[in-house]
Amino acid sequence: MTLLLLVLAIACEVTATVSLKISEGFSKLVPSIIVVIGYGAAFYFLSQVLKRGMAIGVAYGIWSAVGVVAVATIGALFLDERITAVQIGGIVLVIVGVLALELGGAH
């Protein structure tokens, strides 16, 4: 259940972030509403993950790393944004950092 809540938190955050781009500075109503609801839901689900005992560093690390990868991928595929080799390297480093947090907490 905890991982499902984390997945929901990530999905809401990614949806809100992409909608933030589409809202064009909150000038479009529907994407703007999605931003507010999405971020609210994301923080609610993340709070439930923490309430169930997942370490904050691990939860936030996974949440942010998966979010970065998802938003960068969506940006490249659907929003005509470029991803450079340096950016890909940075994404890999974020993922490695989250893995280090996860593996370090297992001991």
Side-chain angles (χ1 to χ4, degrees), residues 2-26:
T2 302
L3 288 179
L4 175 61
L5 289 167
L6 185 56
V7 167
L8 288 171
I10 292 165
C12 290
E13 187 267 334
V14 168
T15 301
T17 301
V18 171
S19 295
L20 188 61
K21 170 80 173 180
I22 296 169
S23 77
E24 295 181 11
F26 289 108

Side-chain angles (χ1 to χ4, degrees), residues 12 16 31-43:
C12 290
S32 299
I33 291 169
I34 293 170
V35 169
V36 173
I37 293 171
Y39 281 130
F43 284 113

